[in-house]
């Protein structure tokens, strides 16, 4: 009788282990199973697996509620089901809870398939089955195609990206809407195959265009929330990108707000991994859910795609919401893109509030790549070159809704000036002064830099050096005008200049100015220097300076208040007062200390060097001018007349004089002196010695020998000399040698003599002179013929000389060493994309990373444009292998240079002086070792982890 039921019927345990006890034939048919055993294997012996994972929590909650309310019965609970052949079905389930002696409580249930899908997913069951059954065929036959919708840069109107979208054009059922097949693939957990296909097709398209010399623009690809459960997203993206040798900044990853709203640890970790590798992660459909602000708080996002559903009605309220979201994103440093832009009114509004990019049918519908690019060309739009992406991103960040009058100007190397953006208030301000925007551009382009134009460019140069906002005033036709400007980006021989203008004669601030000047006169009479310091902005403005006492211009040497404090402490403050000076001007605590002071001010006295080289006591006083989130303080300094009352240490001609002389000698001598104990361990060194090697303090060397520091090519040369000095008292003079200094091999000459106490030798004192530094000094700072002028590492000639020295020390004295070669795989596309200035900055950053890891005990050379060699003495072969891996990871971790995205790939090889392949060679010379390293490098030898990427 049960077998003849027109619906599915099953019996299962209602408690652990939830075993299926019985299922009729209709159940087997519904789940595409041939027998009961196959059905049990499909649900893994657990009846709960009949219900889809996405519905399970809800279904269990509904059943529990109905059983309690309806005397152990439940009715019409609906859920998705997944069959053995990955079909998706929808069913109505009813049941009765019954107690048994053998199995305990069990469910007797009926299951009826129905054709009512979930709300919002009106997909016919036959279509669902067709999608699941023909996915592989559709991919193989290219029925699924990738369409591209253009993304437009608001500032320039150029194409700056595209979104890759899947479209299913089927020869049998026609065009399938994404709303028909994407939810199905998510439900049966096959969406990862579609997303991987779209990613690969986008990469294939870009690689093909690169190879054909055509323009390429970045592409964003969408990921489903299921992808994070079904595959290692970061690994899949990296593998596909490497397969097509693409830079990471050409691939952006879009994730929906609902995906992040799940607060999954796996999703969070994957996003962090993607960003660490240099990918941008975009938040799609921002504002469409209920957790948008929490997502921005909990996740690091590069760009938000604003859901333009806000602007469907285009009311005052909707515009205010969009404006607030754009402003909030910029405060967080997040880039913005509005999708769904349909009208010119939408586009103009988004431009006025500084939305960085736009996408929508107003600019073009999704089409195959050829159609999209043809449409862009027909509209007269260009394709944004890769090197300009960061420049315009920075410009977009500075466009805000504000009452201040401001504009953004672009200046090229040839002097051409173009206004990228000017707000309405700026136009009104310059109109009051009798100018149009074209007049401003024309005046700034003038070759003869006179009057206010010369002043403008002089302050632009000051801002370039300081990195801060610079302010000046001038009179124009009787109006008192205030200009505040800042160079906010400099790249590709262009300057991006942010300019604010205020006609003080026409403003309330102008009418207050004269009264303020009167009130500050007494302050100027009492102090020699008066500064206004903006704590949060790390910016300082000089309000007043007495020419007789002021320090030299700091704007040319420092950037921001923090750096200014460190610069003054290092170069002008008496050494014994430096710690107090830095503590007094500690930016993190200064506001709190002022607030806690009973007098609402703090002050302290320090000895500061004047222009004659003398240290004079000066008092610095600081008061709080404005509170709140952006506090500002005023600092005033004056010379103190009554020196006798100050706690200065008095030195006499007695026993304190030798100590005073010694301290001044160690601090001020330009020569590199050092002293050691009888075991040749360092006891100390002069400041010049520490500076020469790049050490912060003596603690780095105290208690260590030269062998511990591993900085000599030939350890025995100086070791034997020092032993002779300590044992026989012999004075060593003018002994040449080679020493590693900050990653370079320097030629030095040493002098050493014994130290006596009570007639006994207790240690030695020594000094060395660096021949390479002396050469540069005599040659007016020209680089050594063995030094790379860009990185100051050794060049190819210097490397070969160092290799011969290391090899000779190994051959004669058996001092083991290794050679590490590092080869960049990123050169060609970098050269095509970026200007030489950025490439130099990149190679300097790579050199900095090499010095950081290997500079203390290794010789580092730049042997080709982006290729390096490292020579190091080693005790264990594993040391060099570990160092090579660390260096590779460090270099490949460079994802930006000056804000511009780069993708760096290095491979390495390591050869040891006692390598078996060298012992087999007939001629075991240094050249053979180098050739062996090159051969291993190009044959995919050890360390070749990645061979693609730009």
């Amino acid at each position: 009788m049960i077998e003849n039921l027109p619906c599915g019927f099953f019996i299962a345990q209602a408690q652990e282990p939830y075993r299926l006890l019985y299922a009729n034939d209709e159940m087997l048919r519904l789940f595409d199973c041939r027998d009961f055993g196959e059905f049990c294997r499909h649900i893994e012996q657990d009846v709960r697996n009949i219900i889809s994972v996405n519905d399970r929590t809800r279904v269990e909650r509904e059943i529990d509620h109905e059983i309690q309310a309806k005397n152990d019965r439940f009715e019409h609970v609906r859920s998705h089901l997944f069959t053995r052949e990955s079909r998706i079905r929808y069913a109505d389930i009813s049941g009765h809870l019954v107690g048994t002696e053998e199995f305990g409580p069990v469910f007797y249930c009926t299951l009826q398939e129905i054709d009512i899908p979930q709300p919002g997913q009106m997909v016919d069951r036959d279509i669902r089955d067709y999608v699941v059954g023909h996915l592989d065929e559709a991919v193989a036959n290219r029925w699924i195609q990738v369409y591209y919708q253009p993304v437009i840069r608001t500032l320039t109107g150029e194409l700056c990206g595209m979104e890759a979208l899947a479209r299913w054009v089927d020869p049998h059922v026609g065009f399938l809407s994404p709303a028909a097949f994407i939810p199905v693939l998510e439900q049966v957990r096959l969406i990862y195959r579609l997303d991987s296909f779209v990613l690969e097709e986008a990469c294939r398209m870009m690689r093909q265009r690169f190879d054909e010399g055509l323009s390429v623009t970045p592409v964003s690809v969408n990921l489903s929330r299921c992808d994070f459960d079904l595959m290692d997203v970061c690994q899949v993206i990296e593998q596909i990108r490497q397969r097509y040798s693409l830079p990471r900044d050409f691939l952006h990853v879009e994730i929906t707000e609902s995906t992040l709203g799940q607060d999954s640890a796996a999703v969070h970790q994957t996003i962090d991994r993607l960003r660490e590798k240099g990918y941008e992660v975009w938040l799609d459909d921002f504002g469409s859910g209920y957790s948008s602000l929490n997502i921005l708080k909990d996740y690091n996002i590069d760009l938000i795609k604003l859901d333009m559903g806000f602007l469907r009605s285009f009311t005052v309220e909707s515009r205010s919401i969009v404006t607030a979201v754009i402003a909030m994103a910029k405060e967080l440093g997040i880039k913005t893109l509005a999708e769904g832009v349909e009208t010119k009114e939408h586009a103009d509004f988004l431009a006025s509030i500084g939305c960085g990019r736009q996408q929508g049918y107003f600019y073009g519908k999704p089409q195959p790549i050829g159609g999209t690019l043809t449409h862009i060309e027909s509209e007269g739009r260009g394709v944004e070159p890769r090197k300009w992406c960061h420049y315009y991103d920075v410009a977009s960040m500075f466009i805000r809704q504000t009452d201040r009058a401001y504009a953004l100007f672009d200046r090229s190397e040839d002097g051409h000036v173009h206004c990228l953006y000017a707000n309405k208030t700026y136009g009104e301000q310059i109109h009051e002064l009798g100018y149009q925007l074209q007049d401003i551009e024309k005046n700034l382009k003038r070759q003869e830099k006179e009057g206010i134009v010369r002043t403008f460019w002089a302050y632009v140069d000051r801002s370039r050096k300081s990195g801060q906002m610079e302010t000046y005033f001038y009179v124009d036709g009787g109006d008192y005008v205030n200009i505040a400007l800042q160079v906010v980006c400099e790249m590709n021989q262009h300057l991006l200049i942010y300019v604010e203008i205020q006609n003080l004669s026409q403003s309330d601030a102008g009418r207050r100015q004269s009264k303020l000047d009167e009130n500050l006169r007494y302050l100027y009479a009492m102090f020699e220097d008066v500064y206004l310091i903006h704590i949060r902005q790390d910016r300082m403005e000089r309000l007043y300076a007495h020419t007789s006492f002021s320090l030299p211009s700091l704007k040319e040497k420092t950037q921001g208040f923090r750096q200014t404090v460190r610069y003054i402490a290092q170069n002008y403050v008496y050494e014994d007062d430096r710690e107090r000076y830095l503590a007094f001007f500690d930016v993190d605590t200064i506001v709190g200390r002022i607030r806690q002071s009973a007098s609402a001010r703090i002050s302290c006295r320090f000895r500061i060097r004047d222009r004659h080289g003398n240290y004079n006591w000066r008092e610095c006083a600081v008061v709080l001018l404005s509170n709140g989130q952006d506090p500002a303080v005023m600092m005033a300094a004056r010379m103190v007349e009554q020196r006798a009352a100050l706690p200065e240490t008095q030195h006499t001609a007695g026993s304190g004089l030798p100590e005073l002389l010694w301290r001044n000698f160690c601090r001020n001598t330009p020569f590199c002196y050092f002293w050691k104990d009888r075991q040749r361990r360092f006891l100390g060194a002069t400041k010049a010695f520490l500076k020469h090697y790049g050490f912060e303090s003596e603690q780095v060397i105290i208690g260590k020998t030269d062998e511990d520091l591993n900085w000599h090519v030939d350890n025995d040369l100086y070791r034997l000399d020092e032993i002779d000095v300590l044992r026989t008292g012999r004075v060593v003079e003018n002994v040449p040698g080679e020493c590693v200094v900050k990653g370079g091999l320097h030629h030095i000459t040493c002098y050493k003599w014994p130290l006596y106490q009570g007639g006994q030798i207790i240690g030695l004192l020594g000094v060395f002179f660096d021949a390479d530094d002396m050469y540069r000094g005599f040659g007016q700072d020209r680089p050594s013929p063995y030094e790379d002028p860009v990185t100051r590492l050794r060049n190819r000639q210097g490397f070969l000389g160092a290799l011969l020295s290391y090899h000779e020390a190994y051959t004669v004295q058996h001092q083991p060493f290794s050679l590490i070669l590092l080869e960049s795989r990123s050169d060609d596309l970098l050269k095509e994309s970026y200007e030489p200035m950025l490439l130099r900055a990149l190679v300097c950053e790579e050199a900095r990373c090499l010095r950081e890891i290997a500079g203390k005990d290794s010789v580092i050379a730049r042997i080709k444009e982006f290729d390096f060699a490292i020579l190091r003495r080693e005790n264990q072969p594993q040391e060099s292998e570990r160092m090579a891996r660390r260096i590779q990871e460090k270099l490949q971790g460079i994802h930006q240079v000056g804000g511009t995205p780069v993708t760096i790939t290095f491979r390495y090889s390591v050869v040891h002086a006692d390598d078996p392949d060298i012992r087999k060679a007939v001629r075991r010379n240094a050249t053979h070792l180098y050739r062996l390293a090159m051969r291993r490098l190009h044959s995919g030898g050890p360390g070749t982890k990645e061979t693609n990427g730009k």
Side-chain angles (χ1 to χ4, degrees), residues 473-485:
F473 302 86
Y474 70 94
V475 177
D476 189 334
D479 287 320
Y480 194 39
V481 181
N482 172 224
I483 296 292
L485 61 83

mmCIF file of all heavy atoms in Angstrom, residues 473-485:
data_model
loop_
_atom_site.group_PDB
_atom_site.id
_atom_site.type_symbol
_atom_site.label_atom_id
_atom_site.label_comp_id
_atom_site.label_asym_id
_atom_site.label_seq_id
_atom_site.Cartn_x
_atom_site.Cartn_y
_atom_site.Cartn_z
ATOM 1 N N PHE A 473 49.453 84.748 1.238
ATOM 2 C CA PHE A 473 48.473 85.797 0.993
ATOM 3 C C PHE A 473 49.024 86.745 -0.078
ATOM 4 O O PHE A 473 50.231 86.911 -0.225
ATOM 5 C CB PHE A 473 48.201 86.598 2.270
ATOM 6 C CG PHE A 473 47.707 85.770 3.408
ATOM 7 C CD1 PHE A 473 48.596 85.126 4.260
ATOM 8 C CD2 PHE A 473 46.351 85.623 3.635
ATOM 9 C CE1 PHE A 473 48.148 84.362 5.323
ATOM 10 C CE2 PHE A 473 45.895 84.854 4.694
ATOM 11 C CZ PHE A 473 46.790 84.220 5.537
ATOM 12 N N TYR A 474 48.116 87.388 -0.810
ATOM 13 C CA TYR A 474 48.530 88.424 -1.738
ATOM 14 C C TYR A 474 47.361 89.389 -1.936
ATOM 15 O O TYR A 474 46.211 89.091 -1.588
ATOM 16 C CB TYR A 474 48.995 87.838 -3.072
ATOM 17 C CG TYR A 474 47.891 87.229 -3.927
ATOM 18 C CD1 TYR A 474 47.249 87.974 -4.907
ATOM 19 C CD2 TYR A 474 47.506 85.899 -3.752
ATOM 20 C CE1 TYR A 474 46.250 87.424 -5.700
ATOM 21 C CE2 TYR A 474 46.513 85.338 -4.531
ATOM 22 C CZ TYR A 474 45.884 86.110 -5.498
ATOM 23 O OH TYR A 474 44.890 85.562 -6.269
ATOM 24 N N VAL A 475 47.679 90.539 -2.505
ATOM 25 C CA VAL A 475 46.666 91.564 -2.753
ATOM 26 C C VAL A 475 46.393 91.618 -4.242
ATOM 27 O O VAL A 475 47.324 91.714 -5.058
ATOM 28 C CB VAL A 475 47.139 92.933 -2.240
ATOM 29 C CG1 VAL A 475 46.097 94.004 -2.568
ATOM 30 C CG2 VAL A 475 47.396 92.888 -0.739
ATOM 31 N N ASP A 476 45.118 91.519 -4.613
ATOM 32 C CA ASP A 476 44.726 91.547 -6.026
ATOM 33 C C ASP A 476 43.635 92.591 -6.194
ATOM 34 O O ASP A 476 42.484 92.374 -5.789
ATOM 35 C CB ASP A 476 44.232 90.164 -6.450
ATOM 36 C CG ASP A 476 44.004 90.061 -7.960
ATOM 37 O OD1 ASP A 476 43.742 91.094 -8.583
ATOM 38 O OD2 ASP A 476 44.096 88.946 -8.500
ATOM 39 N N GLY A 477 44.001 93.738 -6.795
ATOM 40 C CA GLY A 477 43.021 94.791 -7.028
ATOM 41 C C GLY A 477 42.373 95.304 -5.761
ATOM 42 O O GLY A 477 41.180 95.634 -5.751
ATOM 43 N N GLY A 478 43.127 95.351 -4.671
ATOM 44 C CA GLY A 478 42.596 95.828 -3.399
ATOM 45 C C GLY A 478 41.977 94.748 -2.539
ATOM 46 O O GLY A 478 41.630 94.985 -1.377
ATOM 47 N N ASP A 479 41.832 93.529 -3.073
ATOM 48 C CA ASP A 479 41.290 92.406 -2.295
ATOM 49 C C ASP A 479 42.429 91.624 -1.656
ATOM 50 O O ASP A 479 43.454 91.359 -2.290
ATOM 51 C CB ASP A 479 40.477 91.475 -3.192
ATOM 52 C CG ASP A 479 39.139 92.086 -3.594
ATOM 53 O OD1 ASP A 479 38.522 92.724 -2.722
ATOM 54 O OD2 ASP A 479 38.745 91.923 -4.756
ATOM 55 N N TYR A 480 42.225 91.241 -0.405
ATOM 56 C CA TYR A 480 43.201 90.452 0.354
ATOM 57 C C TYR A 480 42.842 88.972 0.149
ATOM 58 O O TYR A 480 41.790 88.519 0.603
ATOM 59 C CB TYR A 480 43.116 90.846 1.826
ATOM 60 C CG TYR A 480 44.264 90.380 2.678
ATOM 61 C CD1 TYR A 480 45.579 90.388 2.216
ATOM 62 C CD2 TYR A 480 44.030 89.942 3.989
ATOM 63 C CE1 TYR A 480 46.622 89.975 3.012
ATOM 64 C CE2 TYR A 480 45.075 89.526 4.802
ATOM 65 C CZ TYR A 480 46.361 89.550 4.303
ATOM 66 O OH TYR A 480 47.409 89.128 5.103
ATOM 67 N N VAL A 481 43.693 88.226 -0.579
ATOM 68 C CA VAL A 481 43.367 86.866 -1.010
ATOM 69 C C VAL A 481 44.280 85.857 -0.307
ATOM 70 O O VAL A 481 45.495 86.059 -0.222
ATOM 71 C CB VAL A 481 43.521 86.714 -2.541
ATOM 72 C CG1 VAL A 481 43.146 85.302 -2.980
ATOM 73 C CG2 VAL A 481 42.652 87.735 -3.260
ATOM 74 N N ASN A 482 43.669 84.794 0.199
ATOM 75 C CA ASN A 482 44.410 83.701 0.840
ATOM 76 C C ASN A 482 44.404 82.483 -0.078
ATOM 77 O O ASN A 482 43.346 82.049 -0.549
ATOM 78 C CB ASN A 482 43.757 83.341 2.177
ATOM 79 C CG ASN A 482 44.350 82.083 2.802
ATOM 80 O OD1 ASN A 482 43.642 81.228 3.291
ATOM 81 N ND2 ASN A 482 45.670 81.970 2.803
ATOM 82 N N ILE A 483 45.591 81.942 -0.366
ATOM 83 C CA ILE A 483 45.728 80.729 -1.174
ATOM 84 C C ILE A 483 46.325 79.631 -0.300
ATOM 85 O O ILE A 483 47.353 79.835 0.354
ATOM 86 C CB ILE A 483 46.640 80.955 -2.391
ATOM 87 C CG1 ILE A 483 46.038 81.979 -3.343
ATOM 88 C CG2 ILE A 483 46.891 79.634 -3.132
ATOM 89 C CD1 ILE A 483 44.792 81.518 -4.055
ATOM 90 N N ALA A 484 45.681 78.471 -0.282
ATOM 91 C CA ALA A 484 46.228 77.273 0.367
ATOM 92 C C ALA A 484 46.350 76.210 -0.708
ATOM 93 O O ALA A 484 45.379 75.924 -1.418
ATOM 94 C CB ALA A 484 45.322 76.804 1.497
ATOM 95 N N LEU A 485 47.542 75.660 -0.855
ATOM 96 C CA LEU A 485 47.747 74.675 -1.919
ATOM 97 C C LEU A 485 48.580 73.503 -1.420
ATOM 98 O O LEU A 485 49.332 73.620 -0.448
ATOM 99 C CB LEU A 485 48.399 75.317 -3.146
ATOM 100 C CG LEU A 485 49.786 75.949 -3.011
ATOM 101 C CD1 LEU A 485 50.904 74.935 -3.111
ATOM 102 C CD2 LEU A 485 49.979 77.022 -4.071
#
